[in-house]
């Protein structure tokens, strides 16, 4: 018999979701059977797979020892052990961590097979500085709440607790967090203050999107509010607020307008990219504002707080 005492980080989730992470070798069908025949109990009583675990619950598993072995780990799951904690911390408290991601760093492992990812660096930072001990967690690992493209820089939110992850995911889903971007567009964007509304269709096999002025099958509405802050003879520094959050939204919309982002190899102008020696898009998620309109639990203290990235390197193109 194996016993778990549910910690604060493990509470709030459904029993079956906890078991999928805490006992990954246990097949789903067998898990449901064992719950049904009372070989898996909570506080000594029969329960349901959808039961929401509470802090202090005693979970008892009368199952074979073979299911408690450790499966071979995916490279990303153990990469924090070899990663360097090289992160630019904007803000940190007991629940969340805001990190300024540099352009060129992927947030999670991708097709390139790299183990140097933002989440690995964050987990290494929390582990090496004693803010997270995986040996004391049955199911939770620090996780990213949002993601941005490899070539985009700026603020990424990481959850240090399970509660923070649940709350942040809900707030992002309900659009109670607002992100502002800075970007460099080729040419002079007109009007200087405007709203872009069109339709974005994803092409998964090509890892790109197309923009349409009228609805097409499979396309989703994309809306961006923008204003031009500064100009040079060839470039515009633009601040953007995402009303929607579609894949490659800003990159594709500005390209569709005839003003692709400087450095964008997928939607941009190669001659301009070479001229300015840009290998990644000049795009930064530079401001984050918490505007909670529903209960945020223990994260309510974040309401109305605004955080900005301390450095946006391409702004120097517009300095005298």
């Amino acid at each position: 018999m194996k016993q778990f005492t549910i910690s604060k980080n493990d509470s709030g989730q459904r029993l079956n979701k906890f078991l999928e992470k805490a006992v990954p070798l246990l097949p789903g069908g067998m898990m449901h059977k064992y719950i049904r025949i009372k070989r898996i109990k909570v506080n000594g009583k029969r329960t349901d797979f959808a039961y929401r675990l509470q802090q202090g619950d005693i979970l008892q598993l009368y199952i074979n020892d073979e299911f408690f072995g450790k499966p071979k780990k995916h490279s990303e799951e153990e990469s924090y052990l070899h990663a360097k904690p090289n992160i630019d911390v904007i803000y940190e408290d007991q629940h969340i961590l805001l990190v300024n991601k540099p352009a060129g760093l992927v947030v999670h492992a991708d097709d390139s097979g790299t183990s140097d990812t933002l989440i690995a660096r964050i987990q290494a930072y929390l582990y090496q500085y004693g803010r997270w001990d995986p040996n004391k967690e049955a199911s939770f690992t620090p996780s990213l709440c949002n993601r941005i493209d490899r070539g985009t820089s700026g603020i990424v939110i990481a959850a240090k607790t399970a509660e923070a992850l649940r709350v942040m995911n809900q707030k992002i889903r309900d659009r109670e967090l607002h992100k502002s971007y800075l970007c460099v567009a080729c040419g002079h964007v007109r009007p200087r203050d405007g709203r872009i509304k069109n339709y974005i269709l994803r092409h998964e096999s090509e890892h790109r999107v197309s923009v349409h002025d009228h609805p097409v099958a499979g396309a989703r509405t994309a809306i961006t509010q923008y204003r031009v802050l500064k100009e040079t003879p060839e470039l515009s520094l633009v601040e953007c607020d995402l009303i929607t959050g579609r894949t490659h939204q800003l990159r594709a919309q500005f390209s569709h307008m005839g003003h692709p982002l400087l450095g964008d190899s997928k939607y941009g102008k190669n001659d301009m990219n070479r001229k300015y020696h840009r290998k990644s898009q000049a795009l930064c998620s530079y401001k984050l504002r918490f505007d909670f309109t529903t209960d945020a639990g223990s994260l309510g203290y974040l309401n109305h707080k605004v955080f900005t990235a301390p450095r946006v390197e391409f702004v120097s193109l517009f300095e005298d």
Side-chain angles (χ1 to χ4, degrees), residues 30-298:
M30 191 171 290
M31 176 215 303
H32 286 264
K33 177 183 176 181
Y34 283 171
I35 292 173
R36 188 175 66 253
I37 65 175
K38 296 190 289 186
R39 289 179 65 178
I40 296 177
K41 301 180 180 180
V42 176
N43 301 324
K45 299 178 181 179
R46 181 178 180 177
T47 188
D48 183 81
F49 73 92
Y51 171 73
R52 295 263 175 198
L53 294 167
Q54 305 297 314
Q55 185 175 358
D57 279 349
I58 305 298
L59 176 60
Q60 298 161 318
L61 289 79
Y62 297 88
I63 64 179
N64 295 342
D65 290 341
E66 63 193 74
F67 295 118
F68 295 110
K70 290 187 177 181
K72 185 176 181 181
K73 289 189 175 183
H74 184 279
S75 59
E76 186 174 18
E77 293 178 357
E78 59 186 5
S79 59
Y80 75 90
L81 293 172
H82 312 287
K84 295 182 179 179
N86 297 339
I87 57 174
D88 182 6
V89 177
I90 296 173
Y91 173 80
E92 182 178 6
D93 62 29
Q94 70 271 30
H95 290 293
I96 68 166
L97 180 68
L98 304 184
V99 177
N100 187 24
K101 185 190 87 70
L105 180 67
V106 293
V107 293
H108 287 290
D110 60 9
D111 294 340
S112 69
T114 181
S115 60
D116 184 21
T117 64
L118 180 65
I119 187 57
R121 292 187 185 188
I122 287 172
Q123 290 176 349
Y125 165 83
L126 295 173
Y127 176 65
Q128 293 181 34
Y129 288 96
R131 294 170 169 85
W132 167 58
D133 184 354
N135 295 317
K136 294 182 180 179
E137 300 289 349
S139 65
F140 176 77
T141 56
S143 303
L144 300 183
C145 304
N146 67 309
R147 59 179 64 196
I148 53 181
D149 295 339
R150 176 198 286 264
T152 302
S153 62
I155 302 174
V156 176
I157 310 168
K160 296 170 61 176
T161 64
E163 180 184 10
L165 183 61
R166 288 192 293 272
V167 171
M168 286 293 105
N169 284 344
Q170 179 254 313
K171 297 305 179 188
I172 291 171
R173 184 173 58 250
D174 294 342
R175 298 180 183 176
E176 295 180 41
L177 274 66
H178 299 278
K179 295 180 290 182
S180 297
Y181 286 76
L182 284 179
C183 64
V184 178
C186 295
H188 291 165
V189 179
R190 295 293 182 269
R192 292 176 62 94
D193 192 328
R195 185 180 180 92
I196 309 168
K197 179 179 179 181
N198 39 41
Y199 304 88
I200 286 181
L201 179 65
R202 295 183 65 169
H203 303 280
E204 297 288 356
S205 61
E206 302 174 29
H207 301 291
R208 65 182 295 129
V209 303
S210 57
V211 180
H212 303 267
D213 293 322
H214 304 284
V216 298
R220 303 181 70 185
T221 304
I223 304 173
T224 298
Q225 193 75 33
Y226 75 88
R227 66 188 183 99
V228 176
L229 302 180
K230 293 183 179 181
E231 293 179 340
T232 71
E234 294 184 315
L235 305 170
S236 298
L237 179 64
V238 187
E239 181 183 51
C240 302
D241 289 319
L242 293 180
I243 310 303
T244 59
R246 310 303 181 206
T247 299
H248 297 175
Q249 178 169 319
L250 294 175
R251 298 167 62 187
Q253 284 186 322
F254 277 92
S255 179
H256 186 68
M257 291 173 66
H259 300 290
L261 302 192
L262 183 66
D264 194 337
S265 60
K266 191 180 292 285
Y267 303 101
K269 296 180 177 179
N270 290 333
D271 57 340
M272 290 289 285
N273 298 344
R274 286 193 296 268
K275 179 177 180 179
Y276 285 89
H277 309 289
R278 294 288 312 188
K279 295 185 178 180
S280 61
Q281 60 267 16
L283 177 62
C284 178
S285 177
Y286 89 108
K287 185 186 294 185
L288 173 66
R289 187 175 75 251
F290 294 92
D291 283 332
F292 300 152
T293 57
T294 58
D295 181 53
S298 61

